[in-house]
Amino acid sequence: MINRLRPKLAVVPGATLFLQAVQDVRLGGRISTAQYQFTLQSDNLEELNTWAPRLVRAMREMPELRDVNSDQQNRGLEVPVTIDRQTAARLGVSTRAIDETLYSAFGQRQVSTMYTALNQYHVVMELEPQYWERPDALANIYVRSTNGQTVPLTSVTKFRTGTGPIQVNHQGLFPSVTVFFNLGPNVALGDAVRAIDVAQQKMGFPSNISGKFTGTAQAFQAALANQPLLILAALITVYIVLGVLYESLIHPFTILSTLPSAGVGALLALLVCGMDLSVIAMIGIILLIGIVKKNAIMVIDVALDLERNHGLAPRDAVHRACLQRFRPILMTTMAALLGALPLALGTGTGAELRRPLGITVVGGLLLSQLLTLYTTPVIYLYMERFRMAVGRVGARTRAALGLRPAPHGGA
């Protein structure tokens, strides 16, 4: 909707319009005109006001970004007044008298309060609007000297028109300028972050100016930095639980070997549907870790029981386990797949948020179901051969050292 409105509203003369999708949960306390933020900080306000517009111009030239603007407001009209102290001292005009006169003329000084039976009214002294609408009104201001004479303000001061900041924003006690931006069509936030980082490095900011992403973009960077560690911790936890369950250090790898096919299937499904690897899609991939490995668990559980308790060879044990567990595997997979199908095909309000979750689950289940029925028995046999080889090497080592043999299942 924003992409349809933007070209129609861009031709309105004299107005600059910024559009953004309203979020139920906003990250970052700064009110913005776009969804993402990049903040520059410095201890030197002049350098910050010089470099911030350059960054804004550079970001507006990036094809990945839209609606680039900033909260910098340094174009306010001002009239700096410089006191000629030597002339003022010679004419008997003190700096305090000049300050008081200017404050009485333009500062809305409260000089009295009028009380009535039901209310009170503050009396404010100031010049009439016709005398302060233009900077040359300062030429009509007079200051009283110490000897009681009136001296024109232009005799003891110099003034010129210029521009200055209307407000100075701060973040972390330092002056800051925040640049707001939206993403272009079919542009991922990660691509925009990399483009801004490259532009910042090419511009060569001074050492006392630092830039960082804030708000939603900062949360994206934090989540991206911790994501590999979280997935690794989940895999380690699954491995420990499976190792304790099957009393083996080898076969948990057999069960975990089903996860790559699920991840590839989820990525292929997103690619076919033209979707990005968003946070919701990552949640779907994490769900696949728990859903997909149950195929291998059902096969390995029966195969180990047949091998250990019924004396079957590894090949015969895994073959019989696949035959016995084929129907339960299909039933559980179809139940999970059909449960995620409404998310993948759903329409209506909020469907665009749920669709990546359903698509990743459906794609991962389809590909993993096709591959794991063939790969799990093969990996099981290779792991059994590896376990037996390690056991033979360990037995020869113990025999050479005169130690007692290890119990069954030690590998």
Side-chain angles (χ1 to χ4, degrees):
M1 185 177 297
I2 290 177
N3 291 335
R4 295 198 304 267
L5 290 175
R6 185 180 286 118
K8 297 179 180 180
L9 299 174
V11 297
V12 178
T16 303
L17 184 65
F18 303 101
L19 302 174
Q20 62 173 317
V22 177
Q23 303 293 325
D24 294 333
V25 179
R26 292 187 60 89
L27 300 177
R30 192 179 299 276
I31 299 176
S32 62
T33 56
Q35 188 172 1
Y36 305 104
Q37 306 173 11
F38 184 81
T39 301
L40 292 177
Q41 289 181 280
S42 176
D43 57 354
N44 190 319
L45 183 59
E46 293 184 1
E47 290 189 358
L48 185 64
N49 290 332
T50 301
W51 285 90
R54 299 180 184 178
L55 178 63
V56 173
R57 288 194 297 267
M59 293 176 62
R60 285 175 177 171
E61 296 176 357
M62 298 179 185
E64 298 88 353
L65 307 182
R66 296 290 187 274
D67 302 330
V68 178
N69 61 98
S70 71
D71 62 354
Q72 185 181 24
Q73 300 184 26
N74 60 341
R75 296 297 180 182
L77 295 178
E78 66 176 6
V79 181
V81 178
T82 304
I83 300 176
D84 187 351
R85 296 182 180 273
Q86 295 181 355
T87 304
R90 186 174 65 252
L91 297 177
V93 178
S94 64
T95 56
R96 180 178 181 180
I98 296 175
D99 181 71
E100 293 290 336
T101 301
L102 292 175
Y103 183 62
S104 298
F106 306 103
Q108 297 184 347
R109 181 191 296 274
Q110 181 179 341
V111 296
S112 179
T113 303
M114 299 175 61
Y115 297 94
T116 63
L118 299 177
N119 207 341
Q120 62 182 13
Y121 301 92
H122 300 291
V123 180
V124 176
M125 180 176 62
E126 64 175 359
L127 291 178
E128 291 188 5
Q130 60 179 338
Y131 293 107
W132 49 258
E133 289 179 347
R134 300 178 59 183
D136 55 8
L138 291 172
N140 301 322
I141 302 296
Y142 290 81
V143 183
R144 188 170 297 278
S145 63
T146 55
N147 55 11
Q149 297 181 350
T150 55
V151 179
L153 181 65
T154 55
S155 301
V156 293
T157 61
K158 298 178 181 178
F159 59 88
R160 58 179 177 81
T161 58
T163 58
I166 299 177
Q167 65 177 7
V168 178
N169 296 306
H170 289 75
Q171 183 164 319
L173 303 179
F174 289 97
S176 65
V177 173
T178 301
V179 183
F180 311 111
F181 63 93
N182 287 324
L183 301 180
N186 301 321
V187 175
L189 179 57
D191 298 334
V193 169
R194 284 191 293 271
I196 294 174
D197 288 337
V198 171
Q200 182 184 4
Q201 295 174 1
K202 289 183 178 180
M203 293 180 65
F205 286 119
S207 58
N208 61 341
I209 297 180
S210 61
K212 65 178 181 179
F213 290 93
T214 54
T216 306
Q218 183 182 19
F220 166 78
Q221 286 187 321
L224 199 64
N226 297 329
Q227 206 169 66
L229 296 177
L230 294 177
I231 295 177
L232 180 61
L235 294 178
I236 292 175
T237 303
V238 171
Y239 174 82
I240 293 174
V241 173
L242 293 175
V244 173
L245 178 64
Y246 295 113
E247 299 179 356
S248 174
L249 300 176
I250 297 298
H251 287 302
F253 289 109
T254 306
I255 298 173
L256 293 176
S257 65
T258 60
L259 300 182
S261 61
V264 172
L267 295 178
L268 289 177
L270 291 174
L271 186 62
V272 170
C273 297
M275 293 186 175
D276 299 327
L277 184 60
S278 61
V279 175
I280 302 299
M282 283 301 305
I283 294 175
I285 294 178
I286 294 176
L287 288 177
L288 287 174
I289 296 178
I291 298 175
V292 171
K293 69 177 185 295
K294 54 87 184 172
N295 295 351
I297 288 177
M298 288 193 288
V299 173
I300 300 304
D301 187 60
V302 175
L304 288 178
D305 180 70
L306 294 174
E307 184 179 347
R308 294 175 180 176
N309 300 327
H310 298 275
L312 295 182
R315 184 183 183 89
D316 297 332
V318 74
H319 181 262
R320 183 178 296 183
C322 289
L323 294 178
Q324 292 181 5
R325 293 294 179 152
F326 178 71
R327 181 162 41 176
I329 288 175
L330 285 183
M331 292 174 62
T332 54
T333 300
M334 292 302 296
L337 191 149
L338 294 176
L341 202 58
L343 295 177
L345 302 178
T347 57
T349 304
E352 66 279 358
L353 179 65
R354 300 185 293 267
R355 286 190 64 196
L357 177 62
I359 289 174
T360 53
V361 173
V362 172
L365 288 176
L366 284 176
L367 187 61
S368 65
Q369 184 64 60
L370 293 175
L371 295 180
T372 55
L373 292 175
Y374 300 97
T375 59
T376 301
V378 175
I379 296 175
Y380 176 83
L381 292 178
Y382 276 106
M383 288 297 179
E384 276 294 302
R385 294 174 185 175
F386 178 74
R387 185 186 66 83
M388 293 179 180
V390 172
R392 287 192 296 268
V393 172
R396 286 195 296 266
T397 303
R398 287 189 294 270
L401 297 177
L403 301 177
R404 296 175 60 186
H408 177 73

